[in-house]
Amino acid sequence: MLKCRSVWNKLAPLTKVSSNVCRHNVRRTGLTNVRLPPCAPAAHMSTGPRGGGRENQLYAALVGAVTITVGILTYRHLKEDARRYQDRIDEIESRTSKRIVIQESAPIQSEPPDVEAIETEVVPEPEPSAEPTTEPQLEPPAEPEPETPSAPSDAEVTPPSDTTETPSAAAEAAVEAVPEEVAEAPAAPAVQEGGADTVPAPLKVPSHTPYLLIGGGTASFAAARSIRARDPGAKVLIVTEETDLPYMRPPLSKELWFSDDPSVTETLRFKQWNGKERSIYFQPASFYISPEDLDSAENGGVAVLTGKKVVHMDVRGNKVKLDDDTEISYGKCLIATGGVPRNLQVIDRAGEEVMSRTTLFRKIDDFRSLDKVSRNVKSITIIGGGFLGSELACALGRRTNESDLEVIQMFPEKGNMGKVLPEYLSNWTTEKVKKEGVKVVSEALVKSVTFKDDKLQIQLKDGRLVKTDHIVAAVGLEPNVDLAKSAGMEVDSDFGGYRVNAELQARSNIWVAGDAACFYDIRLGRRRVEHHDHAVVSGRLAGENMTGANKPYWHQSMFWSDLGPDVGYEAIGIVDSSLPTVGVFAKATSKDTPKAATEKSGTGIRSESETEDTATSPVASSSSSSSSTPTVEQHKDDYGKGVIFYLRDKVVVGIILWNVFNRMPIARKIIKDGEEHADLNEVAKLFNIHED
């Protein structure tokens, strides 16, 4: 049709001229005929001026030729369009038939030994970018394509507590409350490995998406559900470097290590402290739709593009470039890239032999790798005394009772979690870790690491030498701000991460959530938080704001850490051991353990049990036992359970609830009020720590 139009544009002027000439000739002929005698022969009535008859014939022939030519060209192009249309229909039908063939043949692929995969009934789709791994059934593809029959899963996005407007515990429940029987580990990649020769074509990535979420962690998943709750027809694309669908990270260093299932590294299912079983995946593969079906999805949906990294961001053009040079334009974008584990410089410089025997713990693959190492070596040394290092030390220490494994934990502080807990409580925690079978090396500054005589030799600055087979470096997290330069976004020089405003917005249509966000806390100043609860709430709020909510982030996020099922704590605000602290303790009972807390609340992730509407501080009954002064002794029986207040300018800025659970709304309100308290023993009554 374009060719016909161009031909007509060229011939139209000629046609117009010929028509004008014909009209002029007719007019002149009429005038001439008026002056002729009435008896003039009829043959001369239309002769006109000299040569007029030949010109009329010429113009008539030209107009006819043009008309015929246009008609022929039009016919040809219409016929060509019909042929191309038919070819397209045939191609679509052939593609559909191929998918049906793959669907029918998928159950024949008996690659994965995991019986759990049957429950998901997910039909896999080839993932061209996925690299072969030793656990194929747990490396989910970008999306199982033929999952359209599971359309009801879209409805699952809207009903949860995401419908509430306050960024409270409802957010955690929305992300965490996954049906136990459906949240299985995705088993889709089974076809990818067994039937690679039948893969039809590479996965087609949508060229545009209204909502682009960079990163596949907790914050992205929370944002996706929040977007779909407010905009049920929204089309959301999650792009993640990992080959797994969105999952929760806390169980990787907690409950998974205490599982009795020998195939836990394959199923990634675990029993919570309350005895209930669940998967670490937020939703099964059937919950999502395929990226290539996102454009045509009538009711929208959430698609996950796995194994892809965003390497460049064009903020003015509203588009990003992937590591395979694919470009995707977006309407609104969330950056939730999280962070990468830090490593010691002495290990980085030590060479390949040392690095190959070092684990930087962060992802599912790291859990699988460390689990395998712990069953094949005789000694593991954990460097780091923070949350992650202490949790892994206790988890691996349990295995010393059933094997000859030696577990060593070293850190520069005097005791475990010395940067967080006051010294007396840090020392108590260190003794607890030792009882788990861990050899603790405190005040240890690593000078060098070498590989000699089939052993890693860790030389400390004070002359001590530790020999081991494997190292786990748990020395903190570095926020991933790789896109800052290309996007022209500001990175905070003090805390790291992208600087955002109160609405978690970095640019006009770009938001940041989770570990990578450096936000302003109206009570505690600018902060960056690296905990699960913060990822849930900030992701949820960013999703709401991407749909026009324009809400500020005022939530005080909490975090928790468990040293096994018997000792755990929850914390909020700024918990820094360099601040003045006041601790009020009481004797613990069998009810004061993480296991008992989850059994009572019915949840496994303790942030699920938070309820913001209970933040009105209940007044505890006055008791003679509550009149004790703040505890500073170091006798272990004094620290069964209690509350530790962290002060700055005589105002409480942080609180740790030690073996005290489901009281976080009260702690949150105390920090929010920002008042000075003359007697913190009275404040401790609000937590009912003296009740049996």
Side-chain angles (χ1 to χ4, degrees):
M1 292 300 294
L2 294 176
K3 292 184 179 179
C4 292
R5 185 174 296 175
S6 62
V7 171
W8 173 252
N9 290 337
K10 294 179 180 179
L11 296 179
L14 297 177
T15 306
K16 184 176 181 181
V17 171
S18 65
S19 299
N20 291 337
V21 172
C22 288
R23 285 198 301 272
H24 286 305
N25 287 341
V26 172
R27 185 178 181 184
R28 284 197 295 269
T29 302
L31 293 174
T32 303
N33 290 339
V34 171
R35 290 192 292 270
L36 288 174
C39 60
H44 297 282
M45 292 296 291
S46 60
T47 56
R50 184 182 300 176
R54 179 179 297 178
E55 290 179 359
N56 288 343
Q57 293 174 358
L58 211 58
Y59 290 131
L62 180 61
V63 172
V66 170
T67 304
I68 293 172
T69 303
V70 171
I72 293 173
L73 292 174
T74 302
Y75 173 76
R76 287 181 178 177
H77 283 282
L78 288 175
K79 189 174 181 180
E80 182 68 19
D81 287 344
R83 185 186 64 79
R84 286 197 299 266
Y85 174 78
Q86 187 60 40
D87 291 344
R88 178 61 176 166
I89 293 299
D90 294 341
E91 180 185 353
I92 293 174
E93 290 178 352
S94 64
R95 185 187 306 168
T96 305
S97 63
K98 288 180 181 179
R99 292 178 185 173
I100 294 173
V101 171
I102 294 176
Q103 253 185 338
E104 295 174 349
S105 62
I108 303 176
Q109 307 270 349
S110 57
E111 288 288 317
D114 184 12
V115 181
E116 295 288 335
I118 300 176
E119 298 180 15
T120 62
E121 298 180 358
V122 176
V123 180
E125 174 185 304
E127 169 63 25
S129 63
E131 298 178 359
T133 64
T134 56
E135 299 80 21
Q137 75 276 19
L138 288 168
E139 179 190 337
E143 196 52 46
E145 186 171 294
E147 272 303 315
T148 51
S150 62
S153 62
D154 285 337
E156 299 173 14
V157 180
T158 54
S161 56
D162 284 339
T163 54
T164 60
E165 292 299 321
T166 57
S168 66
E172 291 85 6
V175 176
E176 308 298 345
V178 182
E180 302 297 336
E181 66 276 8
V182 297
E184 304 293 335
V191 170
Q192 184 177 343
E193 180 173 317
D197 54 344
T198 62
V199 174
L203 182 68
K204 293 183 179 179
V205 178
S207 60
H208 176 79
T209 180
Y211 297 98
L212 176 65
L213 312 183
I214 304 175
T218 300
S220 275
F221 182 80
R225 296 199 67 162
S226 181
I227 291 170
R228 292 276 294 167
R230 290 177 54 89
D231 183 3
K235 298 178 180 179
V236 183
L237 177 63
I238 298 175
V239 180
T240 172
E241 291 183 61
E242 295 192 54
T243 55
D244 292 285
L245 296 175
Y247 62 90
M248 62 187 79
R249 297 191 191 276
L252 295 179
S253 61
K254 295 181 175 71
E255 294 95 337
L256 282 176
W257 291 97
F258 296 90
S259 174
D260 296 328
D261 183 3
S263 62
V264 65
T265 55
E266 304 298 323
T267 64
L268 295 178
R269 294 186 64 83
F270 62 95
K271 284 187 177 180
Q272 305 165 119
W273 301 141
N274 61 4
K276 294 182 179 180
E277 186 178 273
R278 71 178 300 171
S279 168
I280 71 168
Y281 291 97
F282 290 117
Q283 291 287 357
S286 58
F287 174 83
Y288 307 94
I289 65 175
S290 170
E292 65 179 6
D293 293 336
L294 188 61
D295 285 338
S296 59
E298 183 178 352
N299 297 321
V302 180
V304 183
L305 186 62
T306 58
K308 300 291 183 181
K309 180 180 180 180
V310 177
V311 296
H312 185 272
M313 194 168 189
D314 181 0
V315 176
R316 292 185 178 181
N318 286 354
K319 60 183 179 181
V320 298
K321 180 187 290 186
L322 306 184
D323 50 4
D324 60 359
D325 291 332
T326 302
E327 289 190 349
I328 303 175
S329 61
Y330 60 84
K332 295 179 180 179
C333 179
L334 172 70
I335 299 177
T337 49
V340 293
R342 290 193 184 103
N343 195 7
L344 295 176
Q345 291 185 359
V346 293
I347 296 179
D348 278 332
R349 297 193 298 259
E352 181 60 27
E353 288 184 327
V354 173
M355 280 300 300
S356 63
R357 293 169 174 82
T358 301
T359 296
L360 302 178
F361 198 89
R362 176 69 173 170
K363 304 176 181 178
I364 289 177
D365 288 342
D366 301 326
F367 165 70
R368 291 172 175 154
S369 173
L370 186 58
D371 178 79
K372 183 178 180 180
V373 167
S374 68
R375 301 180 188 278
N376 292 282
V377 300
K378 294 184 177 180
S379 175
I380 293 179
T381 297
I382 300 168
I383 302 178
F387 307 109
L388 178 61
S390 298
E391 289 173 358
L392 288 177
C394 287
L396 291 172
R398 290 285 180 102
R399 295 191 175 180
T400 59
N401 298 327
E402 53 193 54
S403 66
D404 295 332
L405 179 66
E406 178 188 45
V407 179
I408 303 170
Q409 184 186 15
M410 60 173 59
F411 40 79
E413 298 81 24
K414 292 184 178 180
N416 283 80
M417 292 178 287
K419 292 183 178 180
V420 175
L421 302 177
E423 185 176 350
Y424 61 89
L425 198 55
S426 174
N427 294 337
W428 184 91
T429 304
T430 302
E431 295 302 317
K432 167 66 178 175
V433 173
K434 289 180 179 179
K435 289 183 178 180
E436 295 293 338
V438 180
K439 297 181 179 180
V440 176
V441 181
S442 60
E443 298 180 277
L445 296 175
V446 180
K447 181 179 180 181
S448 65
V449 181
T450 58
F451 181 71
K452 185 178 181 182
D453 299 331
D454 292 330
K455 286 283 186 179
L456 292 173
Q457 298 189 1
I458 306 173
Q459 183 69 52
L460 304 183
K461 290 186 176 181
D462 59 4
R464 287 177 291 178
L465 180 66
V466 177
K467 295 182 180 181
T468 188
D469 295 318
H470 195 84
I471 291 175
V472 179
V475 292
L477 192 73
E478 193 70 30
N480 187 343
V481 292
D482 292 345
L483 295 175
K485 185 175 182 180
S486 62
M489 296 168 61
E490 183 181 4
V491 176
D492 190 87
S493 58
D494 295 326
F495 300 98
Y498 300 95
R499 288 178 68 97
V500 296
N501 62 17
E503 297 173 1
L504 302 180
Q505 196 171 21
R507 297 288 290 267
S508 59
N509 61 342
I510 299 176
W511 287 258
V512 186
D515 299 345
C518 182
F519 62 98
Y520 183 76
D521 189 315
I522 59 175
R523 286 295 178 192
L524 306 177
R526 187 158 290 277
R527 304 174 65 200
R528 189 178 65 82
V529 180
E530 300 174 356
H531 297 294
H532 178 83
D533 179 67
H534 169 69
V536 172
V537 180
S538 64
R540 177 177 180 267
L541 181 67
E544 290 182 346
N545 288 340
M546 291 172 76
T547 56
N550 298 322
K551 293 181 179 180
Y553 184 73
W554 52 265
H555 180 75
Q556 285 292 338
S557 61
M558 57 86 71
F559 64 92
W560 76 97
S561 182
D562 294 335
L563 303 178
D566 300 324
V567 176
Y569 62 89
E570 299 174 353
I572 188 173
I574 299 177
V575 286
D576 186 340
S577 60
S578 63
L579 294 174
T581 62
V582 175
V584 181
F585 292 87
K587 188 174 182 179
T589 66
S590 59
K591 300 178 182 179
D592 303 313
T593 64
K595 182 177 181 179
T598 52
E599 287 175 349
K600 181 179 179 180
S601 65
T603 60
I605 303 299
R606 290 204 294 276
S607 57
E608 291 179 18
S609 61
E610 287 192 66
T611 50
E612 195 70 29
D613 54 355
T614 62
T616 55
S617 303
V619 178
S621 58
S622 59
S623 171
S624 58
S625 60
S626 65
S627 61
S628 58
T629 58
T631 306
V632 295
E633 298 91 0
Q634 299 185 14
H635 192 273
K636 62 181 179 180
D637 292 337
D638 294 336
Y639 310 134
K641 64 177 179 179
V643 183
I644 302 98
F645 300 97
Y646 292 74
L647 308 176
R648 186 170 63 189
D649 298 329
K650 299 182 180 180
V651 175
V652 177
V653 294
I655 297 175
I656 284 183
L657 304 181
W658 186 263
N659 272 344
V660 176
F661 307 102
N662 303 323
R663 297 288 189 274
M664 191 50 64
I666 302 173
R668 183 174 284 115
K669 186 178 186 302
I670 292 173
I671 293 179
K672 183 179 179 181
D673 292 343
E675 299 176 354
E676 291 189 24
H677 298 278
D679 188 358
L680 289 174
N681 287 287
E682 294 298 318
V683 179
K685 291 180 182 180
L686 302 176
F687 297 94
N688 297 331
I689 63 173
H690 301 287
E691 289 186 352
D692 293 333

